[in-house]
Amino acid sequence: MYLAAVFLPLLGGIIAGLLSFAPVGGDKDRKHRIDRAGQLVTVAGMLLAAVAALFTFIGIVGGGSTNNVEIFTWIDSGSLELSWELRADALAVVMVLMVTVVSSMIHIYSIGYMSHDGSIPRFQSYLSLFSFFMLMLVTSNNLVQLFFGWEGVGLMSYLLIGFWYDRPSANAAAIKAFVVNRVGDFGFALGIFATFLLFDTINFDTIFGLAEQKKDATLNVFSGEFHALTVICLLLFVGAMGKSAQIGLHTWLPDAMEGPTPVSALIHAATMVTAGVFMVARLSPLFEYSDVALTVVTVVGGTTAIFAATIGCVQNDIKRVIAYSTCSQLGYMFFALGVSAYSAGIFHLITHAFFKALLFLGSGSVIHAMSDEQDMRKMGGLYRLIPVTYVMMWIGSLALAGIWPFAGFFSKDIVLEAAWGAHTFVGQYAFWVGILAAFLTAFYSWRLLLMTFHGEPRADEVTMAHVHESPKVMLIPLAVLAIGAIFAGWLGFDWFVGEKTVEFWGNSIFVLESHKALENAHHSPLWVKFLPLVVGILGIALAYLMYMFAPGLPHALASGFQRTHRFLLNKWYFDELYDRIFVKPCFSLGRGFWKAGDGQLIDGVGPDGVAATVLNLARRAGALQSGFLYHYAFAMLLGVAALVSWFLVTGG
Amino acid sequence: MTGFPWLSVVTFAPLVGVAFILLIRGEPDVVARNAKGVALWTSLITFVVSLGLWINFDPTASGFQFEEKVLWMPAFDIAYHLGVDGISLFFVILSTLLTVLCVGASWESVKDRVKEYMIAFLILETLMIGMFSSLDLILFYVFFEGVLIPMFVIIGVWGGPRRNYAAFKFFLYTLTGSVLMLLAILTMAFQAGTTDITKLLTHDFPISLQPWLWLAFFASFAVKVPMWPVHTWLPDAHVEAPTAGSVILAGVLLKFGGYGFLRFSLPMFPVASADFAPFIYGLSVVAIIYTSLVALAQEDMKKLIAYSSVAHMGFVTLGTFTATIQGIEGAVIQMLSHGVVSAALFLVVGVVYDRMHSRDIATYGGLVHRMPVYALVFMIFMLASVGLPGTSGFVGEFLVLVGAFKANSWVAALAATGVILGAAYMLYLYRRVIFGKLTKEDLKSITDLSPREMAVFAPLVLIVIFMGVYPIPFLDAMHVSVENLIERYETAVAAAEQIRLAAR
């Protein structure tokens, strides 16, 4: 059952991939049939996988025994031994269920969204393969299979972002996503090596068993002796930062919106970007023993939450607003992990997957209606024309803003309360930036709603005349996700973070006795419980004020605080900075090494230099052969004189 | 399987083919067709027989297998002595496999002197297999140097416009190193009284002599690998060589150096190896970073891949001298993987070169529109080259870095940056060649892979994925040999340490 959940998407993806090579030869019917087959096989694969995942999930929740599935040995070298293996514990199964369900919906939605595209089987194949890699990632039972899934989703996101490969911007964004992720993976890889050095294995069961024993161990690396688990956790966390687009390594995420919208939903909302969060939760038995690492996670998470929220407030591309929102919400998840409230972080991950996928797909529906327009400044007044989408976007936004009783309310509240409940300085920091970010979140969500759906239509007449509600095949997945966005929080609360949390998670998440953030969260004062909701409502109110009742205000603010506005609009200038300090120097260094190092220095002194010298010598030697006898005789005499002197001096 | 001379058969079967080709007479095109046919069949049969080596190989036995020994100059204990262990076995198979593919890849692209071309490749095959399976220093040297001649001819006769410069550069570089190695071989023969490699492997060379012998061998192997800064012959040789020449050069010839380090430097001069290890780390890390950056700036496809080869071979030298199980096994896997992947990448370039006669990246763009299968094949090898998990490239690099991290974490960290740069230059190349709009007029009628070309790529694709997902058969076969090697190395180093302490 579990195997089927993971490998059916692979099968579907491969078949659809092969179909994309089927020769069409201009035959429209044939092409149509092939497209249909590609859609059918991938959607069927994903749906069956989701069903299989559901059964496995029920088995786990019902307290059934969980057996890991070993497939076969992958690498065996000395003491390094690891297998392809599917781990079946609560954490893994919850993720599998979420990934398969959300991915199924996105597969179905894509049938409608991509209906005019020329490469349907290829697209569906990418989606399925992406899901497969994500499933391998969440079910891994060792660090290297985790890395396999990790890089695999990176590859698929590269292909999906660059799906429309005729566009230079899409290609650039795809490469950027892959390379920035590789920077994170660099840290991840070093973390794996350090783990192996410390534990002599990279299998989760053994590592987790030994963690307590090694809690005071030190590791002699990088010219110093450091607390071993801190080094390992920090290195691995660099990987998590890359994949989950945390501040510093976030630059690829907004650009990745170049891909088709279902891709944005699948990769950038529901699954791939949450891999980092999953990884930290999975490695909770290691992170728990390193206060430094946990502190770093909290600070990075909190900072990203507020940083991305500020940028989200001024962006005009509808998908980019949601992308920055994702970035910010991931920050929330991370600081929840940082205060040892792993289950709260995962809870927010799951609810977020539903409402963020809903928002992305909803915005896709808008873009579809607007004939591929993404700039919100050219939208407006759409709510009568696409009412279903409008309602869906409202549901998603309410969930995102954390309004009762939508999913986000439950998960965001517990995250913030846990930060408060940590009773630490960084916990307080995370709490207050989280509150501020919650305010901004509500503000930019309603800014998006109001700019898109209300006010005077700002698009030209041709576009407006063409506006239409999306087909059912796109609306039904939206409805399913909306159900999740409404009920997931309310349904999941007790299991994930409430009374049943201990039996639900079993031993898949480990928290030290002394880390009581989650417990304290349930006993936090009333104002802590209500503050997020209050600031959320205030944020909504501000958005109404600025974009409905006083439409001159945003412009006045932007020109009043020109510098701040430009700073935010340019995304804190991260791209420019990186271009200046990394990208350009690399290219010029490369050219320099090539022309000066290889060309002039090595070849100049080496082979070419030697050749030139030999030629030169030969020419001189040639000049010596003058043909006059007395020249030769003179040379011989000189030689004899030299030899005689030599013997005289050395006394030989 | 004793008795049947497997190794001699594999080694000299190609020469039988050469004899048949020499007998072919008639019209030029008939000669060409028959020569190709004979070469293909010969190399295929050789390949199949070499697979028999693997099937009959006993991975649990230590020492060499399929040994054959006939005394040649008894007075100096010089013999015709062949045998393989878990390390050399795969290089023999790599050589036979790539020769088949080279013949297949040259089927249409080589038009003149086809007969001589095929002869050169078959002779080259014999010499390569002989090199990997000789167990006698003198015999080894003969094969090792002999390889230069057909390769020189292949570049010099069937090469591009600057083929003379490239061929001579190649020859001079490699010969300079070899002269020093010959001196070392003679010294070793006099010192140990034998040239039998199996005996030399257990002979303790004086610690004072080891650094000199090590350096002499290093001079030769470093050029072959090639290590920075003696790598500059490689881009020129690759650019000028015909496609199949590049395939053999990158696929097999570069492995001579790495194999040499494993067969000679590490086990025979263990103390010197340990002393020089930091030096090798330094050069390897420089090679990885420097050539990756240079690759980023290339405008010629073949040059780019040539530079990436130098970077990938940097992992090999790094892993070898960590003298850890993971490092060495990783180095061997990396060599095999690089043998397949870089060979495949040169074939990939060859495909479009045959059609457009240009290696300039700027000539291309948007090929995916006309050549989807080609784009897929290119993608797979590109991913293997950047070391994506699930491809052969990952297993090698990963194991090497695990070993390196044990030895020195800074070295591992610096080498790992090559993984980032590798992704950058390969994706950048792929984007410029494959993606984008198809706007160039002359590309609008370019054709996708022919069935013959697909047949050449199919086995390579399978191997790359198989080795990535299930490298166990390869690793299992080399465990015993690698463990022996490390045991010997560690004992010797520990003993030398004792002596040094006592002397203090």
Side-chain angles (χ1 to χ4, degrees):
Chain A
M1 199 55 95
Y2 205 38
L3 269 177
V6 177
F7 285 95
L8 280 173
L10 174 66
L11 189 68
I14 290 177
I15 296 174
L18 292 177
L19 281 174
S20 72
F21 287 101
V24 181
D27 183 347
K28 274 205 176 129
D29 275 355
R30 191 176 151 74
K31 177 159 171 44
H32 188 69
R33 279 201 306 280
I34 290 170
D35 287 353
R36 273 275 171 274
Q39 289 162 344
L40 190 73
V41 69
T42 49
V43 170
M46 268 328 289
L47 280 175
L48 286 174
V51 171
L54 189 64
F55 277 109
T56 322
F57 180 74
I58 291 169
I60 297 263
V61 176
S65 62
T66 57
N67 287 322
N68 297 346
V69 185
E70 184 170 344
I71 306 168
F72 54 80
T73 312
W74 181 13
I75 293 175
D76 169 17
S77 175
S79 52
L80 182 75
E81 223 184 314
L82 49 109
S83 297
W84 296 104
E85 198 173 356
L86 306 185
R87 188 180 173 92
D89 61 6
L91 182 58
V93 174
V94 165
M95 292 296 289
V96 169
L97 183 65
M98 184 276 281
V99 171
T100 49
V101 169
V102 173
S103 178
S104 302
M105 292 309 120
I106 290 165
H107 271 72
I108 296 172
Y109 177 91
S110 305
I111 295 176
Y113 192 84
M114 301 298 283
S115 56
H116 304 302
D117 200 273
S119 331
I120 290 170
R122 183 165 64 94
F123 185 73
Q124 296 285 357
S125 163
Y126 285 176
L127 288 183
S128 279
L129 291 176
F130 176 87
S131 309
F132 163 71
F133 283 117
M134 190 66 202
L135 292 168
M136 286 301 273
L137 189 160
V138 297
T139 57
S140 63
N141 201 20
N142 60 59
L143 280 171
V144 183
Q145 188 184 325
L146 186 67
F147 194 67
F148 166 81
W150 197 266
E151 292 259 282
V153 288
L155 162 68
M156 295 323 293
S157 86
Y158 160 76
L159 290 173
L160 282 165
I161 295 166
F163 180 76
W164 287 317
Y165 45 63
D166 282 353
R167 300 181 184 173
S169 56
N171 287 326
I175 293 184
K176 187 173 175 183
F178 197 86
V179 174
V180 173
N181 266 299
R182 274 251 155 160
V183 175
D185 295 353
F186 163 76
F188 189 169
L190 290 179
I192 297 178
F193 307 147
T195 310
F196 182 67
L197 195 59
L198 181 69
F199 292 101
D200 207 29
T201 175
I202 43 171
N203 293 314
F204 286 150
D205 293 321
T206 335
I207 296 176
F208 297 164
L210 289 171
E212 193 180 358
Q213 213 177 309
K214 300 267 188 191
K215 67 177 175 190
D216 297 319
T218 56
L219 209 54
N220 219 333
V221 286
F222 302 117
S223 323
E225 194 158 338
F226 301 103
H227 181 232
L229 288 174
T230 301
V231 171
I232 290 172
C233 290
L234 287 178
L235 286 172
L236 292 173
F237 183 59
V238 174
M241 283 176 68
K243 197 113 291 185
S244 292
Q246 293 297 288
I247 187 165
L249 294 177
H250 66 282
T251 54
W252 64 272
L253 181 64
D255 287 16
M257 296 302 131
E258 288 292 336
T261 304
V263 172
S264 310
L266 180 62
I267 296 177
H268 311 117
T271 55
M272 188 174 97
V273 291
T274 60
V277 178
F278 166 79
M279 183 232 255
V280 176
R282 167 58 82 211
L283 298 174
S284 57
L286 301 186
F287 277 84
E288 276 299 279
Y289 289 109
S290 172
D291 286 335
V292 178
L294 284 177
T295 306
V296 171
V297 173
T298 315
V299 172
V300 169
T303 309
T304 308
I306 186 74
F307 146 81
T310 57
I311 298 178
C313 291
V314 299
Q315 295 298 311
N316 292 317
D317 182 313
I318 185 167
K319 277 169 72 182
R320 282 190 185 232
V321 173
I322 308 178
Y324 276 107
S325 155
T326 307
C327 211
S328 163
Q329 295 301 310
L330 288 163
Y332 278 90
M333 297 174 208
F334 271 111
F335 71 68
L337 304 173
V339 297
S340 294
Y342 302 97
S343 49
I346 296 291
F347 185 38
H348 196 50
L349 188 165
I350 301 285
T351 59
H352 174 260
F354 284 101
F355 61 71
K356 193 49 69 65
L358 177 63
L359 282 171
F360 264 120
L361 295 187
S363 71
S365 185
V366 172
I367 296 166
H368 198 66
M370 295 293 293
S371 316
D372 295 331
E373 179 58 70
Q374 303 199 7
D375 192 333
M376 293 194 295
R377 285 170 300 189
K378 297 183 184 154
M379 294 180 184
L382 293 176
Y383 71 102
R384 268 181 224 284
L385 300 167
I386 44 174
V388 183
T389 306
Y390 178 57
V391 171
M392 294 300 168
M393 289 297 277
W394 258 88
I395 296 174
S397 299
L398 284 168
L400 174 62
I403 305 299
W404 189 84
F406 293 88
F409 168 78
F410 295 92
S411 56
K412 191 184 274 183
D413 258 22
I414 192 76
V415 165
L416 286 166
E417 287 161 21
W420 171 265
H423 301 316
T424 57
F425 178 73
V426 288
Q428 289 294 316
Y429 166 73
F431 175 75
W432 286 109
V433 295
I435 292 290
L436 190 55
F439 172 72
L440 295 175
T441 306
F443 170 73
Y444 65 65
S445 299
W446 262 262
R447 174 176 174 265
L448 185 153
L449 279 179
L450 296 173
M451 279 180 85
T452 310
F453 292 102
H454 293 270
E456 291 297 309
R458 292 180 294 273
D460 56 55
E461 280 168 22
V462 185
T463 318
M464 285 312 284
H466 193 67
V467 170
H468 57 284
E469 186 60 278
S470 299
K472 281 210 184 65
V473 73
M474 285 166 72
L475 294 179
I476 290 170
L478 284 181
V480 173
L481 291 172
I483 292 171
I486 298 172
F487 296 110
W490 179 67
L491 283 174
F493 190 80
D494 270 356
W495 297 98
F496 279 81
V497 291
E499 285 163 13
K500 297 174 191 149
T501 179
V502 176
E503 56 177 305
F504 179 72
W505 291 111
N507 55 6
S508 62
I509 286 178
F510 172 81
V511 183
L512 280 181
E513 285 283 327
S514 55
H515 290 167
K516 289 192 190 314
L518 192 62
E519 204 186 311
N520 294 342
H522 291 294
H523 308 292
S524 48
L526 218 55
W527 67 267
V528 172
K529 285 189 188 298
F530 279 102
L531 195 55
L533 187 62
V534 172
V535 296
I537 292 168
L538 284 178
I540 297 172
L542 182 66
Y544 267 102
L545 178 71
M546 283 175 65
Y547 290 92
M548 203 141 190
F549 302 119
L553 206 53
H555 190 70
L557 270 177
S559 45
F561 297 93
Q562 227 171 21
R563 277 213 179 146
T564 319
H565 185 249
R566 203 173 307 139
F567 182 66
L568 292 179
L569 203 60
N570 286 304
K571 306 158 281 186
W572 293 30
Y573 292 106
F574 266 101
D575 282 329
E576 288 75 7
L577 183 73
Y578 286 173
D579 195 50
R580 189 88 38 95
I581 60 176
F582 294 121
V583 181
K584 288 207 174 108
C586 272
F587 275 93
S588 43
L589 263 180
R591 205 157 290 127
F593 280 151
W594 176 30
K595 297 288 187 198
D598 270 23
Q600 287 169 18
L601 194 68
I602 298 176
D603 275 356
V605 176
D608 295 353
V610 170
T613 317
V614 169
L615 272 180
N616 196 8
L617 280 177
R619 210 167 290 129
R620 281 167 194 225
L624 281 180
Q625 296 165 6
S626 55
F628 295 110
L629 199 62
Y630 62 89
H631 279 178
Y632 299 151
F634 183 64
M636 274 162 72
L637 269 177
L638 274 183
V640 171
L643 269 175
V644 170
S645 330
W646 173 257
F647 278 112
L648 284 176
V649 171
T650 57
Chain B
M1 289 291 283
T2 49
F4 186 73
W6 282 96
L7 274 175
S8 289
V9 170
V10 176
T11 308
F12 294 105
L15 290 189
V16 178
V18 171
F20 278 114
I21 294 179
L22 284 174
L23 291 177
I24 298 172
R25 291 280 183 276
E27 292 291 308
D29 56 328
V30 178
V31 173
R33 201 171 55 235
N34 288 338
K36 283 190 279 194
V38 173
L40 184 65
W41 278 107
T42 314
S43 54
L44 261 178
I45 291 169
T46 315
F47 172 61
V48 172
V49 178
S50 72
L51 282 182
L53 287 175
W54 192 6
I55 293 165
N56 292 313
F57 187 82
D58 177 5
T60 56
S62 65
F64 290 91
Q65 301 182 32
F66 309 104
E67 273 195 72
E68 295 166 37
K69 187 169 181 179
V70 181
L71 277 181
W72 183 13
M73 289 177 240
F76 304 99
D77 199 16
I78 298 175
Y80 170 79
H81 189 178
L82 299 181
V84 289
D85 66 356
I87 296 171
S88 49
L89 170 70
F90 294 111
F91 292 107
V92 171
I93 298 173
L94 181 67
S95 311
T96 56
L97 170 71
L98 289 184
T99 307
V100 179
L101 299 180
C102 280
V103 174
S106 314
W107 209 255
E108 276 151 27
S109 57
V110 174
K111 299 262 191 307
D112 49 321
R113 303 179 207 239
V114 178
K115 184 174 150 185
E116 290 79 3
Y117 182 86
M118 293 299 163
I119 290 175
F121 268 91
L122 290 177
I123 294 178
L124 191 60
E125 183 179 17
T126 290
L127 296 172
M128 291 188 298
I129 301 169
M131 205 293 299
F132 287 120
S133 51
S134 20
L135 288 183
D136 186 278
L137 265 184
I138 302 295
L139 191 65
F140 166 82
Y141 189 78
V142 169
F143 284 127
F144 189 86
E145 293 307 312
V147 166
L148 278 181
I149 300 162
M151 202 64 222
F152 177 80
V153 171
I154 287 169
I155 298 175
V157 176
W158 291 276
R162 270 162 54 86
R163 56 180 181 260
N164 281 341
Y165 174 74
F168 277 102
K169 200 173 179 184
F170 165 71
F171 201 81
L172 282 179
Y173 251 120
T174 42
L175 200 69
T176 317
S178 307
V179 171
L180 292 168
M181 187 170 78
L182 182 63
L183 284 176
I185 287 179
L186 294 177
T187 315
M188 287 163 74
F190 286 120
Q191 215 279 328
T194 177
T195 57
D196 189 324
I197 290 175
T198 54
K199 288 180 194 156
L200 289 169
L201 281 173
T202 52
H203 181 84
D204 290 318
F205 286 100
I207 292 178
S208 57
L209 187 60
Q210 284 195 19
W212 301 107
L213 296 175
W214 190 92
L215 282 171
F217 273 85
F218 172 77
S220 182
F221 296 150
V223 168
K224 276 274 169 28
V225 167
M227 294 177 75
W228 185 87
V230 286
H231 63 279
T232 59
W233 63 270
L234 187 70
D236 285 317
H238 271 311
V239 166
E240 300 307 326
T243 300
S246 287
V247 169
I248 291 290
L249 192 58
V252 185
L253 257 58
L254 300 194
K255 310 300 167 308
F256 280 25
Y259 173 75
F261 282 130
L262 281 171
R263 178 65 76 232
F264 300 99
S265 305
L266 212 53
M268 292 186 194
F269 324 124
V271 182
S273 295
D275 291 343
F276 283 115
F279 169 63
I280 296 274
Y281 296 162
L283 291 184
S284 305
V285 166
V286 172
I288 292 169
I289 296 175
Y290 176 107
T291 49
S292 294
L293 287 171
V294 174
L296 205 53
Q298 294 308 307
E299 282 133 24
D300 177 310
M301 289 202 259
K302 269 187 144 184
K303 263 200 171 157
L304 193 152
I305 296 164
Y307 275 109
S308 84
S309 283
V310 183
H312 284 137
M313 292 305 287
F315 282 97
V316 173
T317 46
L318 176 58
T320 304
F321 283 91
T322 61
T324 55
I325 293 200
Q326 289 88 19
I328 293 181
E329 293 192 343
V332 177
I333 294 277
Q334 172 79 352
M335 278 196 268
L336 296 174
S337 160
H338 178 261
V340 175
V341 174
S342 68
L345 283 171
F346 280 114
L347 288 171
V348 162
V349 176
V351 166
V352 286
Y353 183 79
D354 286 348
R355 288 162 174 68
M356 305 299 300
H357 301 285
S358 166
R359 299 180 311 263
D360 275 345
I361 296 171
T363 317
Y364 301 98
L367 288 183
V368 63
H369 293 272
R370 294 278 312 167
M371 309 175 76
V373 180
Y374 177 73
L376 175 72
V377 169
F378 194 171
M379 166 78 60
I380 291 171
F381 295 119
M382 171 191 81
L383 295 174
S385 172
V386 306
L388 197 86
T391 63
S392 58
F394 171 72
V395 182
E397 279 181 10
F398 177 74
L399 287 175
V400 164
L401 289 172
V402 166
F405 197 85
K406 271 187 188 170
N408 184 325
S409 45
W410 281 115
V411 169
L414 289 171
T417 58
V419 175
I420 303 173
L421 294 170
Y425 65 72
M426 283 312 286
L427 294 182
Y428 188 46
L429 167 72
Y430 191 81
R431 170 194 169 177
R432 285 181 289 172
V433 174
I434 298 291
F435 288 151
K437 284 203 175 78
L438 187 75
T439 48
K440 301 191 174 72
E441 275 309 317
D442 45 357
L443 291 178
K444 287 196 171 147
S445 56
I446 199 166
T447 51
D448 208 348
L449 296 185
S450 67
R452 175 187 61 85
E453 286 164 332
M454 286 193 212
V456 170
F457 283 117
L460 295 172
V461 169
L462 289 178
I463 294 170
V464 162
I465 293 173
F466 181 78
M467 267 181 87
V469 176
Y470 191 58
I472 292 295
F474 300 90
L475 288 167
D476 273 351
M478 67 181 83
H479 283 323
V480 177
S481 304
V482 173
E483 273 160 23
N484 281 343
L485 173 63
I486 289 174
E487 199 185 308
R488 169 158 171 74
Y489 171 86
E490 281 175 350
T491 331
V493 172
E497 201 61 29
Q498 285 294 324
I499 295 170
R500 276 177 201 177
L501 278 179
R504 206 175 284 170

